[in-house]
Amino acid sequence: MRPDPDYQPRATRLRLERKVALITGGDSGIGRAVALAYAKEGADLVLSYLSEDDDAKTTEEAAREFGAKVLLVRGDISDEKHCKHLIGETIREYGQLDILVNNAAIQYPQESIEKITAIQLHKTFATNIFAQFYLCKAALPHLKAGSNIICTTSVTAYRGSGHLIDYASTKGAIVSFVRSLSASLAQKNIRVNGVAPGPVWTPLIPATFPADHVSEFGSDVPMGRAAEPNEIAPAYVFLGSDDASYITGQIIHPNGGEIINT
Ligand code: NAD
């Protein structure tokens, strides 16, 4: 048979060795778990966060224990200028960017559409999806063949959410963004994928939902519980690594067994 098929595992011993990853919302929740999983697999990190310096330092210290270099960059990614700055700082520090994890997001539950102000709507879209656009655009000149982008969407993109109408809409936009950007970058061998978590026990949940919702959070999925952040992070390791070299435009669904309509 000519040429011979390649049977050897693609990833090196550490799956993200010599890779530099920029993770938005890398201070907290899913982003923190991704940062630690990436550090454990040999990546160096840029962690973008809004304002929680203590959370960012805690994540930085934990990642350094795995031997990772870490650069913290504080600031608001809904501002395009800050997104350009974030990419500029990454290149200044490391000279390369291999994995862009667009993970940061906000949500403000409301009982009906009438309660969603134009200000909330704009802020949610600016943070959750416009920022992903700005960052991908600024990162693109620095991404080489084999680099990749991972965007955090949500199960709410697929099943909707009556109390998170604006948030779920941004998550639906992210799914289409992943599919569209992947189509435009496939020939350059720059992969673009997404992760659509179900309920995950992170600071976002008690910070934004009422107590009765928090106490039952996750109980309605087939596995009957919310995920820990470290049960979501392995999907990002896989997609970020060379093991996923033939996967682009796809979404992974760590959601406790909910069957969704792709
Ligand atoms: P989290 O609140 O713990 O972390 C989000 C982080 O995003 C914040 O700590 C903050 O640093 C950052 N951030 C927010 N606004 C920002 C801004 N304007 N500029 C810069 N950084 C900003 O949340 P999480 O639960 O870990 O969520 C991470 C991702 O997972 C989000 O995209 C969220 O929509 C998604 N998600 C979460 C769940 C869940 O149940 N927790 C479920 C599905 C999807």
Side-chain angles (χ1 to χ4, degrees):
M1 190 174 174
R2 291 283 176 271
D4 277 343
D6 188 353
Y7 299 109
Q8 294 304 315
R10 291 215 163 205
T12 45
R13 191 172 54 85
L14 291 176
R15 293 205 285 171
L16 302 176
E17 206 167 15
R18 291 186 293 276
K19 293 190 193 288
V20 171
L22 163 56
I23 305 168
T24 66
D27 58 322
S28 172
I30 293 169
R32 177 184 287 183
V34 174
L36 300 190
Y38 273 28
K40 184 166 175 256
E41 293 291 345
D44 290 325
L45 305 174
V46 181
L47 304 180
S48 141
Y49 66 103
L50 182 58
S51 57
E52 305 79 355
D53 298 317
D54 290 346
D55 287 353
K57 279 255 169 286
T58 301
T59 309
E60 177 186 19
E61 281 163 21
R64 284 190 194 281
E65 283 183 17
F66 288 109
K69 291 184 195 149
V70 182
L71 175 68
L72 299 180
V73 186
R74 175 184 165 133
D76 184 351
I77 57 166
S78 68
D79 176 1
E80 186 174 18
K81 281 206 294 291
H82 178 66
C83 291
K84 288 180 179 164
H85 170 70
L86 200 45
I87 300 297
E89 285 295 283
T90 304
I91 299 304
R92 187 185 57 73
E93 182 75 12
Y94 297 111
Q96 68 189 77
L97 173 60
D98 305 289
I99 310 170
L100 169 60
V101 180
N102 283 313
N103 167 73
I106 49 169
Q107 63 178 32
Y108 301 104
Q110 302 290 358
E111 63 202 29
S112 75
I113 193 169
E114 287 111 313
K115 302 265 185 190
I116 300 174
T117 63
I119 291 172
Q120 173 176 326
L121 183 66
H122 282 260
K123 187 172 178 188
T124 305
F125 270 78
T127 306
N128 295 11
I129 172 72
F130 291 178
Q132 298 203 3
F133 231 94
Y134 301 148
L135 282 165
C136 289
K137 209 172 143 186
L140 195 54
H142 306 286
L143 298 180
K144 299 195 171 64
S147 314
N148 69 93
I149 297 166
I150 305 169
C151 302
T152 305
T153 171
S154 164
V155 69
T156 61
Y158 297 88
R159 64 156 142 79
S161 170
H163 58 278
L164 290 169
I165 299 170
D166 51 345
Y167 168 87
S169 302
T170 67
K171 295 299 178 177
I174 291 167
V175 173
S176 298
F177 179 55
V178 164
R179 291 174 176 167
S180 304
L181 192 61
S182 74
S184 92
L185 297 180
Q187 289 292 324
K188 293 186 172 164
N189 194 22
I190 297 170
R191 299 181 293 105
V192 186
N193 292 292
V195 178
V200 189
W201 184 240
T202 71
L204 183 70
I205 303 311
T208 58
F209 285 129
D212 55 340
H213 187 107
V214 172
S215 62
E216 292 180 358
F217 183 66
S219 59
D220 56 345
V221 305
M223 292 183 83
R225 65 172 179 88
E228 292 294 339
N230 65 7
E231 295 179 282
I232 308 300
Y236 294 79
V237 172
F238 171 62
L239 289 173
S241 79
D242 295 343
D243 285 339
S245 57
Y246 199 51
I247 298 180
T248 194
Q250 310 301 319
I251 312 284
I252 293 185
H253 299 273
N255 66 17
E258 188 167 339
I259 307 299
I260 45 80
N261 178 358
T262 58

